[in-house]
Amino acid sequence: MLVLLPPSEGKASSGRGAPLKPESLSLPGLAAAREAVLAELADLCAGDEEKAREVLGLSEGLRGEVAKNAGLRTAGARPAGEIYTGVLYDALDLASLDAAAKRRAARSLLVFSGLWGAVRVTDRIPSYRCSMGVKLPGLGALGTHWRGPMAEVLPEAAGAGLVLDLRSAAYAAAWKPKGEVAGRTATVRVLHAPTRKVVSHFNKATKGRMVRSLLAAGIAPAGPAELVETLRELGYEVEAEAPARAGQPWALDVLVTEVH
């Protein structure tokens, strides 16, 4: 099972660990694309601060993020699972999983990123600010920049099992499973059961709890149909239908009664 996650806007501080070693990151086929983004982002933020803030879409209160990006190569690095914070990651709560579940997380979780493309939760990275929606002056739109490298690398990373896609739209645009891989991919919406409206904050929390439930139970469904049954056994209310045509992902709706 491969679980595709969005990053978080908020991130923990880098800390005082050893700096980034780009060659140590997972998915080495993304190395050249990563270096291109890292080089331009660091140079941009080391230069004109106002221009960098405009490009990154940062408010006055987030001015310090520019300096953070300028020092990416020398900042301390921590496991990505510790760097990413926010609602989904709080609900996932990787740190409190037992040893076996943490090993499963290391194998199955892949976090998408405007800067790194995609990383495992065990990859050591510094704290940064660069969303997939950013358009760098040289490289252009990052979503477009990542499509080619992702198309080459991600099908192999997906292996032969289930792909559980929990990414937001901006990150999903960087890689869309196709063909046989798409047929064993499941996307998830979280809906308020009484109204059938998509929820926002609770959407992220529910997805985090759902992944945690799978990891803690040690269950890796073989495909979307098995995922539906597994989630129901774990106590989730799930609606799903098989796609009308082969080579299309399954769409799952997880229903919640409380929105908080």
Side-chain angles (χ1 to χ4, degrees), residues 7 29-30 36 39 46 50 104-105 128 157 160 177 209-210 226 236 249 258:
L30 300 179
E50 291 305 316
R104 288 189 283 271
Y128 67 96
R209 291 172 189 150
M210 186 172 66
E226 187 177 330
Y236 294 89
E258 296 181 1

Side-chain angles (χ1 to χ4, degrees), residues 132-165:
M132 191 66 79
V134 164
K135 184 176 182 180
L136 292 175
L139 290 176
L142 291 180
T144 302
H145 170 76
W146 284 112
R147 282 177 197 156
M150 291 286 195
E152 293 182 7
V153 172
L154 266 295
E156 181 179 353
L162 169 71
V163 177
L164 176 54
D165 190 351

Side-chain angles (χ1 to χ4, degrees), residues 102-149:
K102 286 179 180 177
R103 289 193 293 271
R104 288 189 283 271
R107 292 192 302 268
S108 62
L109 305 187
L110 198 62
V111 185
F112 275 62
S113 162
L115 174 53
W116 313 113
V119 292
R120 303 282 186 185
V121 292
T122 50
D123 285 334
R124 298 181 65 84
I125 59 173
S127 186
Y128 67 96
R129 189 77 174 219
C130 184
S131 72
M132 191 66 79
V134 164
K135 184 176 182 180
L136 292 175
L139 290 176
L142 291 180
T144 302
H145 170 76
W146 284 112
R147 282 177 197 156

Side-chain angles (χ1 to χ4, degrees), residues 144-195:
T144 302
H145 170 76
W146 284 112
R147 282 177 197 156
M150 291 286 195
E152 293 182 7
V153 172
L154 266 295
E156 181 179 353
L162 169 71
V163 177
L164 176 54
D165 190 351
L166 304 179
R167 297 171 296 167
S168 54
Y171 292 90
W175 180 62
K176 294 183 178 181
K178 296 181 179 179
E180 183 269 336
V181 178
R184 49 187 167 85
T185 296
T187 62
V188 174
R189 295 189 307 174
V190 179
L191 304 182
H192 183 221
T195 64

Side-chain angles (χ1 to χ4, degrees), residues 196-218:
R196 286 303 196 274
K197 291 183 178 179
V198 176
V199 299
S200 54
H201 174 95
F202 199 59
N203 164 63
K204 296 177 182 179
T206 299
K207 288 177 177 178
R209 291 172 189 150
M210 186 172 66
V211 175
R212 180 181 177 85
S213 296
L214 292 168
L215 294 173

Side-chain angles (χ1 to χ4, degrees), residues 219-260:
I219 302 174
E226 187 177 330
L227 171 66
V228 172
E229 295 308 313
T230 298
L231 290 175
R232 288 171 177 165
E233 290 172 3
L234 291 171
Y236 294 89
E237 185 178 354
V238 182
E239 294 180 349
E241 290 185 4
R245 298 191 303 274
Q248 292 183 322
W250 286 54
L252 278 58
D253 289 336
V254 176
L255 307 180
V256 298
T257 55
E258 296 181 1
V259 181
H260 58 78

